[in-house]
Amino acid sequence: MKKTVKIVIATHKKYEMPEDDIYMPVHVGAEGKVDSQGKPLSLGYTKDNTGDNISTKNDSYSELTGLYWAWKNLDTDYIGLAHYRRLFGGSKRVGKDRVEWAITGTELDKLIENNDIILPRKRHYYIETLYSHYEHTHYANQLDETRKVIADLYPDYLEMYDVVLNQRSGYMFNMVIMRRDLLDKYCSWLFSILFELEKRMGKQNLSKFQGRFYGRVSEIIFNVWLQYQIKQGNISKGRIQEVPIVYVEPVNWFKKGQAFLAAKFLHKRYKGSF
């Protein structure tokens, strides 16, 4: 029997979306947003303030309000999360050539026949560990407090937390396509940690960009959860497939590289996205 799949595309604005019906654009942070007439803002997409939701946390949780909405409100065999500017890579034919583009339902059907989790390719930092990179670009106390929360709530994961934070690569962007039962376990684990972290830290007095740290913490601790599950034998490494990321908008890699080096060597934290 064919498996059902929905990939939520988190967006805060109207945008060109893939036409394949596996995709579901979701307006994240919809709660309280109004148009120029003072009416609830409508982008024509599903809103993350419907059903069981945490839409009001979007300023600090970013795309995770879309993940939470999908977890609580979708009933499909596989659930995924992508971004309006970053998609899971597949291909399409343009003339005689095949070019990289958003993965299609047909391509994904073939992948999930033999895989439980689809992930974007790992991001490698080479001269930084995950901890040191975060320390240089954001605020290390957020990870330090996360470690304390994990020690209190999930002490069995603490050793893996330390292993992961000392690695120089990881799966980032909160992008994942996962078998429903695994997603349920992951989200239960993830949001229990983040809700407790929020109780202990709150929003703090940070810029709008730096204030989205709960979403950034989750990028790192996903790797903790995944590697722990693999170590315990709950997930087979052979049933995890990496695919490329398609960047819908051009990325200024030179500027991004400059900011990366400035953060490491000149202690200049990131001030915005690239």
Side-chain angles (χ1 to χ4, degrees), residues 53-105:
N53 72 86
I54 55 169
S55 181
T56 57
K57 296 182 184 293
N58 181 256
D59 284 350
S60 54
Y61 279 58
S62 296
E63 66 276 349
L64 291 184
T65 63
L67 178 64
Y68 186 95
W69 184 90
W71 171 40
K72 293 294 187 179
N73 297 287
L74 290 182
D75 183 20
T76 53
D77 297 317
Y78 283 74
I79 292 175
L81 176 69
H83 306 252
Y84 71 97
R85 294 187 302 168
R86 297 188 192 99
L87 302 169
F88 289 96
S91 64
K92 67 176 180 179
R93 187 172 293 281
V94 177
K96 296 180 179 180
D97 301 318
R98 294 192 72 83
V99 297
E100 202 173 71
W101 183 233
I103 197 167
T104 65

Side-chain angles (χ1 to χ4, degrees), residues 43-268:
L43 302 179
Y45 305 140
T46 298
K47 296 184 178 185
D48 73 346
N49 64 344
T50 57
D52 189 345
N53 72 86
I54 55 169
S55 181
T56 57
K57 296 182 184 293
N58 181 256
D59 284 350
S60 54
Y61 279 58
S62 296
E63 66 276 349
L64 291 184
T65 63
L67 178 64
Y68 186 95
W69 184 90
W71 171 40
K72 293 294 187 179
N73 297 287
L74 290 182
D75 183 20
T76 53
D77 297 317
Y78 283 74
I79 292 175
L81 176 69
H83 306 252
Y84 71 97
R85 294 187 302 168
R86 297 188 192 99
L87 302 169
F88 289 96
S91 64
K92 67 176 180 179
R93 187 172 293 281
V94 177
K96 296 180 179 180
D97 301 318
R98 294 192 72 83
V99 297
E100 202 173 71
W101 183 233
I103 197 167
T104 65
T106 301
E107 290 173 320
L108 192 55
D109 285 344
K110 294 177 181 177
L111 283 182
I112 63 177
E113 282 180 6
N114 300 304
N115 295 284
D116 301 317
I117 302 175
I118 312 297
L119 295 168
R121 288 175 183 161
K122 280 186 177 180
R123 168 157 283 194
H124 296 270
Y125 295 99
Y126 300 108
I127 60 173
E128 292 270 46
T129 65
L130 295 184
Y131 184 90
S132 67
H133 177 63
Y134 196 99
E135 180 181 32
H136 294 146
T137 55
H138 306 297
Y139 293 88
N141 68 309
Q142 297 157 3
L143 292 179
D144 296 338
E145 193 62 41
T146 301
R147 187 182 189 279
K148 294 176 184 177
V149 171
I150 289 176
D152 291 342
L153 299 185
Y154 301 101
D156 290 348
Y157 283 80
L158 196 58
E159 181 180 355
M160 187 58 73
Y161 181 88
D162 292 336
V163 169
V164 167
L165 271 289
N166 280 288
Q167 293 175 348
R168 297 177 186 271
S169 64
Y171 297 111
M172 295 295 146
F173 309 123
N174 288 315
M175 291 176 64
V176 66
I177 303 169
M178 196 183 299
R179 207 177 69 205
R180 176 58 197 246
D181 60 306
L182 295 177
L183 185 88
D184 183 65
K185 292 175 182 177
Y186 169 59
C187 286
S188 297
W189 181 87
L190 171 68
F191 287 106
S192 65
I193 291 170
L194 295 183
F195 293 162
E196 179 59 27
L197 182 64
E198 189 177 8
K199 287 178 185 177
R200 299 185 187 190
M201 298 196 70
K203 288 191 175 182
Q204 303 197 355
N205 185 26
L206 298 171
S207 68
K208 184 176 181 179
F209 173 76
Q210 288 291 351
R212 300 200 293 264
F213 66 87
Y214 297 110
R216 295 192 183 98
V217 165
S218 68
E219 293 183 72
I220 293 177
I221 65 174
F222 170 76
N223 295 274
V224 176
W225 179 84
L226 181 62
Q227 290 184 210
Y228 181 84
Q229 298 303 318
I230 293 171
K231 183 179 179 181
Q232 294 299 114
N234 300 326
I235 293 174
S236 169
K237 198 171 183 179
R239 291 188 63 83
I240 298 172
Q241 178 67 49
E242 294 183 13
V243 297
I245 294 176
V246 171
Y247 291 90
V248 182
E249 296 178 355
V251 178
N252 190 330
W253 293 107
F254 178 74
K255 183 178 179 181
K256 195 174 184 71
Q258 280 186 318
F260 174 81
L261 295 174
K264 179 172 178 59
F265 297 111
L266 302 178
H267 310 295
K268 293 184 177 180

